[in-house]
Amino acid sequence: MDITEHIDAVRREGALLADAAARTDPGAPVPTCPDWQLRDLVLHTGQVHRWATAYVRDGHRQPLDADGERAAWGPEPSDGELVDWFRTGHTALVEALAAAPADLDCWSFLPAPSPLAFWARRQAHETAVHRFDADAAAGSAGPETATDLALDGIAELLQGFMARSRARVRSEKPRTVLVRPTDGTVSWLLTISPEPLTVTTADRAGQADDTGAPADLPSADLTLAGRARDLYLLLWNRLPAARVERTGDESLLDLWRETAVVRWS
């Protein structure tokens, strides 16, 4: 996906999140985030949008300190103001991304071709995952995540967040997990060990063996296969494992759920 596609995803997913919030009580529980009510979800996502906007619009080259973050967020809205407050911040983010120059120079925290590419991609997935949360709180499934966005999001999560030195996905005994989208050509092999997660990719190129399974993929202790949109949300700990095909040691899913946690930045 390119920057324009990511910005389009931010625009689309944010509008859907706001629509879900507008038809739901702010005190509704969020089944996919058990510690949150809807107001917590909308406040968090709106604050992240404002935080990201500050980097893109103002070109901060260093991480904002606590005072800078609070200034970017502005005053917390009341329940009655919450949805309009979210829409205002979401619109500002989309406008800042769309207006930013290609050579934008600002702080970012995952590998990317440019800071603008990073922020457009990161906010696309921040918004898409939390839009799913908002729909869950509203009690409706909402539109399915687009396949290209889901494939891109799997790559960002595995090769970006979970491969960082600060990530907690570790195992004393080295184990492997193969993530195989059935509607894409790339799979990811994860090696979990006492060291940071290593991720390699395998391009299936449409080849299959006599059983119909891809012929050129490595074996793994656990293979997860399914539609990209289901794998995307499963890996973000939003869907039950039953939504995808599992082959091998399913205890690795427990390890993932316990350790694959993304913090603020």
Side-chain angles (χ1 to χ4, degrees):
M1 295 180 66
D2 62 26
I3 291 172
T4 299
E5 291 172 318
H6 282 130
I7 295 172
D8 287 344
V10 176
R11 180 184 294 109
R12 179 182 64 251
E13 298 294 325
L16 290 169
L17 191 160
D19 290 347
R23 63 178 184 268
T24 308
D25 188 294
V30 182
T32 48
C33 300
D35 294 335
W36 275 358
Q37 295 178 332
L38 180 66
R39 64 170 60 88
D40 303 309
L41 170 67
V42 177
L43 180 65
H44 165 79
T45 313
Q47 288 177 336
V48 172
H49 284 174
R50 285 164 166 77
W51 176 73
T53 299
Y55 289 105
V56 174
R57 183 191 60 216
D58 303 331
H60 295 291
R61 296 185 181 182
Q62 298 295 326
L64 295 173
D65 60 17
D67 289 339
E69 289 181 351
R70 285 192 290 269
W73 299 340
E76 285 194 14
S78 67
D79 283 357
E81 300 167 328
L82 188 61
V83 174
D84 287 343
W85 173 87
F86 175 85
R87 291 189 195 275
T88 297
H90 170 245
T91 297
L93 172 62
V94 172
E95 291 177 348
L97 289 168
D103 61 353
L104 172 70
D105 183 11
C106 69
W107 178 76
S108 58
F109 59 88
L110 292 178
S114 69
L116 179 58
F118 162 79
W119 284 108
R121 185 191 207 191
R122 176 79 292 277
Q123 292 311 298
H125 296 298
E126 178 78 20
T127 310
V129 171
H130 286 319
R131 189 271 292 178
F132 181 82
D133 296 330
D135 280 330
S140 60
E144 291 190 323
T145 306
T147 300
D148 57 349
L149 182 63
L151 289 167
D152 183 75
I154 294 170
E156 187 210 38
L157 177 64
L158 299 182
Q159 296 172 291
F161 280 110
M162 295 306 152
R164 295 194 293 178
S165 60
R166 64 187 285 184
R168 296 173 46 224
V169 182
R170 309 289 175 97
S171 171
E172 288 301 318
K173 176 183 177 182
R175 311 303 302 279
T176 54
V177 178
L178 181 67
V179 178
R180 181 172 73 83
T182 54
D183 49 359
T185 60
V186 175
S187 294
W188 293 267
L189 180 67
L190 318 182
T191 300
I192 306 172
S193 74
E195 301 301 318
L197 184 76
T198 61
V199 183
T200 57
T201 58
D203 191 335
R204 302 196 301 276
Q207 300 177 8
D209 63 18
D210 293 339
T211 69
D216 54 353
L217 291 179
S219 60
D221 295 305
L222 173 67
T223 296
L224 303 173
R227 299 185 309 167
R229 63 197 60 177
D230 292 334
L231 290 168
Y232 175 54
L233 293 169
L234 172 68
L235 292 168
W236 272 105
N237 295 317
R238 261 51 182 197
L239 284 185
R243 290 287 293 272
V244 304
E245 178 184 341
R246 297 141 353 259
T247 305
D249 183 0
E250 294 191 36
S251 70
L252 285 167
L253 282 171
D254 295 329
L255 173 66
W256 184 267
R257 281 189 289 266
E258 292 166 4
T259 61
V261 178
V262 173
R263 302 299 181 189
W264 179 259
S265 63

